[in-house]
Amino acid sequence: MNVKKYLLMGAAATALLFFAACENKGPEGPEGPGSDGGNPPATSELADPALWNDVDELTWPKNSVVNLNTHYTVPEGKTLVIEEGVQVIVNTEGVGDNGTAIEFSVDGNLYCNGTEANPVRFSIPEDERTEANALKGMWGGIVAYNSCGEMLIDNTIIEYTGGQVIEDSPAALDGVYEAGDDAYPQITTNNINGKYVITNSILRYGWSDGIYLMGGEAIIANNIFAGNGFDGAEAVNVKAGCKVDVAGNIMFAPNTNGLKLSSSGQGGERGQALIQAYNNTIINAGWRRDGEKGGCVYVEKNALVHVFNNLLVNCKFRAMTPSYTIPNNPEEGYDDKSVIDYNFYASGNQESEIVWEEESGVKYAWEGYNYAHEDYNTSAVDVNSVIATKDNLQDPLFVNYDVNGVSLTRYMYDDAWNFHVKSGSPVLTGAYSGNDAYMQPYFAATGLTVNGTTYNSPAPQAWFGAFGE
């Protein structure tokens, strides 16, 4: 798959623009520790907590293999640097008699510095990386706690997460998640003052969300999300206490939504959720989720959002806005200054293999886009959007993806797919120009500085979806 690097990056003192094309980046990445003559693989000694004694920073060197057989913590005030090609392999048997899912906890700072050719990888043993295990929740994911000031996840694969949170899970003991009710996302953040950059990465195959943001400023750009959620969950889930730009991502087959944007938890120091979500491509969202909730974008509870120039393909429903008539109320509606418009809803002609007859009964994407859903407000949302109908499916003309052939309930990703579009594609015209000041990304001009480097959000592009031609 061809992927453009939308993330712009520069030194802290001078933000240097960067906008280069990446070729043949698929979700698999290298299976081995690297073949460029680098350092030989290390062993689990790199995960020895005693190594933190009397040091402020540790580095896991290029192409190492780090075996995690118990929970691992980057201590508060400390920094872990993970160089390109490092493989972090998590034991799926868990910890203790309860088999508690292993968690990678970040109380300090974490910098994952993978490259396109040699990404960092958080995974499970290779022989367990199967479709049967894709949504089982084999380990606990990365949790950035209140004291985590910075985190960079660049060119990193995180997969097979979603272990259940139980009484002795670190996240339950800290109060981040509730034992018995929650499962681990691939990435969690909880510091309202934290700075997080997640780019050029692959977050796939897990019981829960891809990214669950409960705090901090973040750039989420140029990533691939695939197979996020077993019986709920989203690719990107944002709550109160966050200011976030989400752009240039591919989100394939989230159980519920590609984007769940909520100001749930707002109050005190945890301020209103602020999100700019633009130029994303969301595919096959919502079909594995029962009921009438979900299907691509869901906005609620006083979140102030600008959702535009997104390409929604074969999703179960259009963007939803519960309680639109009760604005600016964290318990009910959402900020009525929000803009959800200039999006493109494309449909194939295939019927879903799962139809929830007792709920909506929606069988086709075009049918869901035009379903009389109580959480649609057609006078205020998607007024200028392109919406497929039975007689005009609005094929986006992808370079290599069959919108009529891929099952609506499929969640395994094929790295041969190419979501650029052909010349003459309808998604290349009619998008929002991006000129209005209030629609600008939060971090396009000022950027976010993480580990001394300033990362800038991509500028909105005047096409629908993550890629043009």
Side-chain angles (χ1 to χ4, degrees), residues 74-89:
V74 180
E76 183 175 354
K78 309 280 189 176
T79 294
L80 176 63
V81 178
I82 302 180
E83 294 185 339
E84 65 175 273
V86 171
Q87 295 191 64
V88 183
I89 307 301

Side-chain angles (χ1 to χ4, degrees), residues 197-217:
V197 174
I198 303 165
T199 182
N200 304 317
S201 294
I202 298 161
L203 291 86
R204 63 181 176 192
Y205 310 149
W207 181 287
S208 186
D209 301 303
I211 301 176
Y212 192 86
L213 298 176
M214 291 185 284
E217 297 179 329

